[in-house]
Amino acid sequence: NAGVTQTPKFRVLKTGQSMTLLCAQDMNHEYMYWYRQDPGMGLRLIHYSVGEGTTAKGEVPDGYNVSRLKKQNFLLGLESAAPSQTSVYFCASSHGGFRGDTEAFFGQGTRLTVV
Amino acid sequence: GENVEQHPSTLSVQEGDSAVIKCTYSDSASNYFPWYKQELGKRPQLIIDIRSNVGEKKDQRIAVTLNKTAKHFSLHITETQPEDSAVYFCAASISPDTGFQKLVFGTGTRLLVSP
């Protein structure tokens, strides 16, 4: 059971380049999330999805787009990367929303550097 | 606004001592409070959580307490061991107008347990 898997694990981009981060979960979870983690700022929600075909904005959505075409996959796109998007990105999934009866499982993270 | 404050940002203790990390939240509707442990270079992992209808929960050497009136909750680790060294994040469920409960994380506490 792989759980939540992120691809790639590391990436270096030049300013203005685009890329897509892939998150895949094999737990049949409805909910999926993308967070970014920056020093001293904890985990901040970028976008989330409550089911296949749905997406919604989180706390820091600017500069990112997402898609959930398949239930098991949640893609995070950077159309024109900026140095401010240098961060560690974590995907997570859960069976339900955070109503006190479900645990969120995190992927191993993607370290992105934009130069 | 939606906010979770976490203190201290760093905590150094001797092996065998107790460690306490405190968080406060702003949304009175929050009803789910998980704690995550993140070891260096690893993904966050849930270690304990508490729901708003419970004042305290314990699991071996870790415990969490919740004071809904004061809107704060704390993580207590007793008999600390070097392997407890990690960054600990608190989180609280937030209920925006969309009705979807999301997690807002604290900024993290780096715990160092010295032998």
Side-chain angles (χ1 to χ4, degrees), chain B residues 72-91:
Chain B
H72 68 69
F73 56 112
S74 301
L75 178 71
H76 304 252
I77 306 174
T78 59
E79 301 173 20
T80 54
Q81 302 167 4
E83 51 264 38
D84 293 330
S85 296
V87 177
Y88 292 81
F89 291 97
C90 65

Side-chain angles (χ1 to χ4, degrees), chain B residues 37-55:
Chain B
K37 176 183 180 181
Q38 186 179 29
E39 297 177 350
L40 188 62
K42 301 289 183 62
R43 71 191 76 191
Q45 292 194 301
L46 181 72
I47 56 171
I48 195 168
D49 56 16
I50 192 168
R51 306 172 194 180
S52 59
N53 60 347
V54 176

Side-chain angles (χ1 to χ4, degrees), chain A residues 51-98:
Chain A
E52 181 179 322
T54 74
T55 63
K57 294 180 180 180
E59 303 169 65
V60 289
D62 293 343
Y64 306 95
N65 57 73
V66 288
S67 63
R68 184 95 182 270
L69 298 179
K70 294 183 178 180
K71 185 178 183 179
Q72 64 268 32
N73 295 337
F74 195 30
L75 278 63
L76 178 70
L78 285 73
E79 292 183 347
S80 180
S84 60
Q85 294 178 303
T86 294
S87 186
V88 179
Y89 292 85
F90 284 98
C91 175
S93 71
S94 64
H95 180 67
F98 295 108

Side-chain angles (χ1 to χ4, degrees), chain A residues 26-40:
Chain A
D26 61 3
M27 296 173 282
N28 201 35
H29 285 167
E30 289 293 335
Y31 292 73
M32 296 188 75
Y33 322 84
W34 275 108
Y35 287 91
R36 61 177 289 173
Q37 183 176 35
D38 302 293

Side-chain angles (χ1 to χ4, degrees), chain A residues 2 4 31 33 35 37 40-43 45 48 50 58-59 90 97-104 106-108, chain B residues 2 31-32 36 38 41-46 49 51 89 93 96 98-108:
Chain A
V4 180
Y31 292 73
Y33 322 84
Y35 287 91
Q37 183 176 35
M41 302 189 75
L43 290 154
L45 184 64
Y48 61 94
V50 302
E59 303 169 65
F90 284 98
F98 295 108
R99 303 183 187 278
D101 58 358
T102 184
E103 176 182 349
F106 283 83
Q108 78 275 28
Chain B
E2 306 163 353
N31 61 5
Y32 177 59
Y36 285 83
Q38 186 179 29
K42 301 289 183 62
R43 71 191 76 191
Q45 292 194 301
L46 181 72
D49 56 16
R51 306 172 194 180
F89 291 97
S93 62
T98 58
F100 169 70
Q101 285 193 316
K102 60 179 182 179
L103 277 184
V104 175
F105 284 83
T107 51

